[in-house]
Amino acid sequence: MTTPAERAAFLRAEIERHNHAYYVLDAPTIPDAEYDKLFRELQELEAAHPELATPDSPTQRVGGAPLPAFRQVAHAVPMLSLNNAFTAEEAEAFDRRCREALGVDDVDYACEPKFDGLAITLRYEHGLFVLGATRGDGFTGEDVTQNLRTVRNIPLRLTGSDVPAQLEVRGEVLMPRREFEKLNERQRAAGEKEFVNPRNAAAGSLRQLDPKITAQRPLRFFAYGVADASVFHPALTLHSALMDRLASWGIPVAAERAVVRGAAGLLAYYEKIAAARRTLSYDIDGVVYKVNRLADQEKLGYVSRAPRFAIAHKFPAEEATTTVLAIEVQVGRTGALTPVARLAPVFVGGVTVTNATLHNEDEVRRKDVRVGDTVIVRRAGDVIPEVVAVVPEKRRPGSAEFRLPARCPVCGSAVEKPEDEAIARCTGGLYCPAQRKQALMHFASRRALDIEGLGEKLVDQLVDAGLVETAADLYRLDLATLAGLERMGEKSARNLLAAIEKSKQTTLARFIYALGIRNVGEATAKDLARHFGSLEALLAADEAALQAVPEVGPVVASSIVRFFAEPHNREVIAALRAAGVSWEEGTPAVPSRAPLAGKTFVLTGTLPTLTREEAKALIEAAGGKVAGSVSKKTDYVVAGAEAGAKLAKAQELGIAILDENGLRRLIAS
Ligand code: IVH
């Protein structure tokens, strides 16, 4: 029979084996649920037999009791820094210095990514992890052993052969980019402060006094060396072999290590890693070159606080600070409003940046970016520069919170922002110059008014030359004007004119679709045409009446109402009809559940918002009939201001009397 002690030892070994496969080798060996089962069994076993709990048990990774403060740790071997090279010439000069000092023609270098995390040191005694500390000032750091135990890919016990009695591993703790993004999503959802970048997130997580919090933070460790390589003398002579040895004991090292020869080798490695930078799961800020022979390293030694045998070749910084000169609002082709920060020019990611996107209003609010603020700007690869965060200490007094304008900065139409959407949009779709080209292309497209030959190039020309502003202007174009355009002969001009002319005869569904109302696609346009039968009825419909159309929900209804509420759009629609765009008016389809089916209405007086025509269309669309005079057959009289004889008659006959609101309520019921 297995004793609890044997079972616990077995479970520990199993769990750590799976941990290593998952976190170090990136190759999971069992499903999460099974891993969790093993883990729980071990936890229960240790709870029942406290004497079995060991410091290298994987259960220690979930974090123990909070500390009052971190203990100071003196580093037996100081944690130094590296000199930097920023250019190819500086990297070549490093190689030259090494060759000259060693008196050789060629030097082999071990190359590694430069991890953009926090330097730490891990002490192992007889293979057991006993102490972990931060770099601090290089001579004294802080004891963060408890927290480091929770970092899943740090081995709590080294495995494999020839594990030395004493070993101090040096490396960096960092947070993978994807995990960083997920953490920030969680922070946002919980209403907590977000982290600026993975490095800060890793630093904040490592310096938590409550290790339970650290345990929930997805930290990773990579080793880049040892405190004292002489303990391996004479078995190991190369830094690269030393790293392989660390890996053999279960210590995570970068997969992107390489040994190269000479300056050309260094620069080729730099280029290769720079190109692969985005594909790594974690941030790096350059590469590190190290003379590979340990004996040569010793010969080269140190100058002040940095080794002569190694150098960091840095990538151009992806983050920099600058000030916000203004926040402008741009309107995109689809009417989306995007706040953009105008910045004092700053060199970042290898170029000078003067603008950075702020994405949308919510984002500006969340980051609370204000004019005059000092901000951190990021430009990673070819990505559009963005404002990452404000430096709050540098905010000047009297600055005001950013607000998106209520009117489109380009055309003055109302701006809409549905409650559960992040993007605010201009509602002047048919009219707004920013949306002009897109609106025209859509209007002329095959499933809309189908104007053959009116493609993107032509729309560009027409708009850029100021010949066309809205779709209605298309119907004013003449042969001479068109024939005068670039790449446009008289024949094509005639063809285009004919196509424009032909488009005048259309259907209501196509016309509705052609307007380019947000959320109204071809199918919805057809539903609307069928339901309302006429444009007047559609124009008069409020949200409730629109939602009576099957498939039309609150979002679509609201888009439609806002679109037609914009006077600019109505003007363009009127101009289109005046230009001769027409269709056969259908009779509205009366759905069986039509709210006014079988009811007869009489209209009298002036209604507050609806014209007589619109009210009639609305009633008919809801299945009702409109009669001219009041009789016993009348079900409702809809009365507005200055209603006269008809109202009196209705009162006399005891017929129900409604105002406009009453009518709308009835339709919506
Ligand atoms: S070797 C004597 N290798 O960069 C110092 N350092 O700027 C030997 N770093 O404090 C350091 N990646 O924390 C080395 N592959 C790498 C590294 C690396 C990141 C950090 C390290 C050091 C800092 C110096």
Side-chain angles (χ1 to χ4, degrees):
M1 229 196 77
T2 32
T3 64
E6 282 163 354
R7 181 68 187 162
F10 167 79
L11 287 170
R12 258 172 230 144
E14 271 298 282
I15 292 168
E16 279 304 301
R17 191 167 66 78
H18 296 309
N19 255 346
H20 183 70
Y22 188 94
Y23 290 107
V24 182
L25 305 178
D26 251 338
T29 35
I30 54 165
D32 289 1
E34 264 166 64
Y35 176 89
D36 293 344
K37 227 168 88 190
L38 295 176
F39 197 89
R40 262 196 313 274
E41 187 187 341
L42 180 60
Q43 273 180 321
E44 282 161 16
L45 203 59
E46 288 177 352
H49 306 274
E51 74 280 5
L52 294 182
T54 60
D56 66 334
S57 174
T59 55
Q60 299 302 303
R61 293 193 186 277
V62 293
L67 293 174
F70 295 113
R71 203 171 56 88
Q72 298 279 310
V73 185
H75 300 305
V77 179
M79 298 179 74
L80 304 180
S81 57
L82 291 170
N83 289 322
N84 292 323
F86 293 98
T87 62
E89 291 67 37
E90 287 169 9
E92 284 163 348
F94 163 73
D95 170 61
R96 194 178 321 119
R97 288 194 301 273
C98 291
R99 276 188 286 116
E100 285 170 8
L102 296 170
V104 294
D105 291 339
D106 269 314
V107 178
D108 284 344
Y109 297 98
C111 304
E112 296 161 6
K114 185 169 193 301
F115 309 105
D116 194 7
L118 286 97
I120 57 157
T121 185
L122 304 175
R123 195 186 300 160
Y124 287 88
E125 284 173 7
H126 303 284
L128 192 66
F129 172 54
V130 293
L131 178 76
T134 60
R135 177 176 186 274
D137 63 3
F139 299 96
T140 310
E142 285 174 323
D143 178 350
V144 287
T145 313
Q146 290 221 72
N147 288 341
L148 288 171
R149 271 193 216 290
T150 72
V151 176
R152 297 297 195 271
N153 74 343
I154 293 182
L156 300 177
R157 175 179 287 283
L158 301 180
T159 54
S161 52
D162 300 332
V163 172
Q166 302 286 331
L167 178 67
E168 200 166 319
V169 180
R170 299 266 159 103
E172 297 247 332
V173 159
L174 45 77
M175 190 177 287
R177 248 192 324 271
R178 268 206 50 98
E179 303 288 351
F180 161 74
E181 274 151 26
K182 282 197 256 169
L183 170 64
N184 262 357
E185 262 166 46
R186 289 198 296 275
Q187 293 284 104
R188 209 171 330 172
E192 305 266 341
K193 204 170 151 19
E194 288 176 51
F195 296 99
V196 168
N197 55 36
R199 194 179 179 285
N200 286 17
S205 303
L206 195 61
R207 298 199 66 260
Q208 276 287 337
L209 287 169
D210 182 354
K212 287 215 162 51
I213 296 178
T214 311
Q216 289 159 18
R217 301 280 172 80
L219 297 176
R220 297 285 179 275
F221 170 75
F222 284 102
Y224 55 66
V226 296
D228 181 7
S230 69
V231 297
F232 298 104
H233 185 76
L236 291 176
T237 58
L238 302 175
H239 175 80
S240 55
L242 169 64
M243 297 304 286
D244 293 342
R245 186 58 63 85
L246 294 184
S248 81
W249 293 325
I251 297 169
V253 295
E256 294 73 19
R257 287 172 297 133
V259 176
V260 304
R261 176 157 297 182
L266 296 179
L267 297 180
Y269 180 80
Y270 175 90
E271 292 302 335
K272 184 171 154 222
I273 298 297
R277 186 176 186 186
R278 293 287 123 215
T279 67
L280 297 187
S281 60
Y282 49 86
D283 279 350
I284 60 176
D285 56 350
V287 293
V288 181
Y289 309 137
K290 301 168 184 175
V291 170
N292 199 22
R293 271 193 51 188
L294 297 173
D296 288 345
Q297 289 193 357
E298 219 167 300
K299 240 184 252 170
L300 285 159
Y302 297 80
V303 252
S304 70
R305 297 191 57 186
R308 245 194 234 109
F309 58 79
I311 197 163
H313 190 172
K314 302 280 285 268
F315 296 141
E318 291 188 326
E319 286 183 0
T321 53
T322 185
T323 52
V324 177
L325 304 176
I327 299 177
E328 286 173 13
V329 175
Q330 289 179 348
V331 186
R333 285 164 63 87
T334 61
L337 268 61
T338 309
V340 176
R342 300 272 173 246
L343 306 169
V346 60
F347 192 72
V348 56
V351 300
T352 300
V353 164
T354 52
N355 302 313
T357 179
L358 291 163
H359 300 290
N360 57 54
E361 188 181 24
D362 293 351
E363 187 88 357
V364 186
R365 286 279 174 73
R366 208 156 48 71
K367 292 176 178 163
D368 191 17
V369 181
R370 304 180 184 192
V371 175
D373 276 354
T374 298
V375 291
I376 299 169
V377 180
R378 180 176 178 82
R379 180 185 177 274
D382 294 333
V383 181
I384 304 172
E386 61 167 352
V387 171
V388 183
V390 170
V391 183
E393 307 82 64
K394 298 218 174 151
R395 170 161 292 164
R396 292 192 218 134
S399 67
E401 237 180 68
F402 171 77
R403 258 170 217 295
L404 214 56
R407 306 235 139 234
C408 171
V410 175
C411 78
S413 297
V415 167
E416 73 167 321
K417 182 163 174 266
E419 232 171 72
D420 43 2
E421 272 179 43
I423 308 223
R425 289 175 197 275
C426 163
T427 54
L430 280 187
Y431 166 84
C432 179
Q435 302 172 67
R436 212 161 254 172
K437 289 180 180 176
Q438 172 115 333
L440 286 166
M441 295 285 295
H442 177 78
F443 185 85
S445 66
R446 204 165 52 79
R447 290 161 185 283
L449 285 220
D450 191 18
I451 305 179
E452 216 189 311
L454 189 62
E456 190 173 348
K457 292 231 167 66
L458 204 49
V459 166
D460 282 352
Q461 277 198 65
L462 290 169
V463 171
D464 294 345
L467 295 169
V468 169
E469 289 184 351
T470 76
D473 300 329
L474 293 172
Y475 297 94
R476 283 193 276 271
L477 291 170
D478 58 36
L479 190 63
T481 311
L482 284 178
L485 293 174
E486 250 173 69
R487 281 186 302 262
M488 188 68 136
E490 195 187 308
K491 177 136 183 288
S492 343
R494 268 187 211 288
N495 287 345
L496 182 61
L497 272 188
I500 292 174
E501 188 60 30
K502 187 168 149 227
S503 76
K504 285 185 183 170
Q505 202 52 50
T506 187
T507 65
L508 178 56
R510 277 176 179 271
F511 186 78
I512 295 169
Y513 175 62
L515 298 177
I517 304 166
R518 217 179 138 62
N519 300 314
V520 176
E522 206 186 354
T524 305
K526 280 187 181 154
D527 288 346
L528 292 168
R530 205 176 308 126
H531 183 90
F532 290 101
S534 71
L535 188 64
E536 280 61 41
L538 176 62
L539 288 174
D542 63 5
E543 294 195 21
L546 285 163
Q547 286 192 52
V549 181
E551 313 292 318
V552 172
V555 173
V556 179
S558 146
S559 286
I560 297 171
V561 165
R562 285 183 218 254
F563 184 89
F564 289 129
E566 184 48 59
H568 293 135
N569 291 336
R570 287 206 179 225
E571 281 160 26
V572 176
I573 291 170
L576 283 167
R577 303 193 83 182
V581 175
S582 65
W583 51 86
E584 240 167 69
E585 297 270 326
T587 37
V590 178
S592 53
R593 59 182 194 95
L596 307 187
K599 302 289 183 208
T600 302
F601 291 74
V602 171
L603 301 168
T604 177
T606 311
L607 298 177
T609 75
L610 293 174
T611 65
R612 190 65 68 93
E613 275 310 298
E614 287 170 342
K616 180 164 182 275
L618 201 56
I619 290 167
E620 287 173 354
K625 270 197 304 215
V626 177
S629 57
V630 178
S631 73
K632 281 195 194 128
K633 287 192 195 148
T634 308
D635 294 292
Y636 298 97
V637 166
V638 182
E642 279 140 46
K646 290 180 191 174
L647 179 59
K649 178 126 190 237
Q651 280 162 340
E652 199 176 294
L653 293 175
I655 291 168
I657 296 159
L658 301 172
D659 59 7
E660 183 179 314
N661 272 336
L663 173 65
R664 289 194 190 276
R665 267 198 300 277
L666 194 62
I667 292 172
S669 67

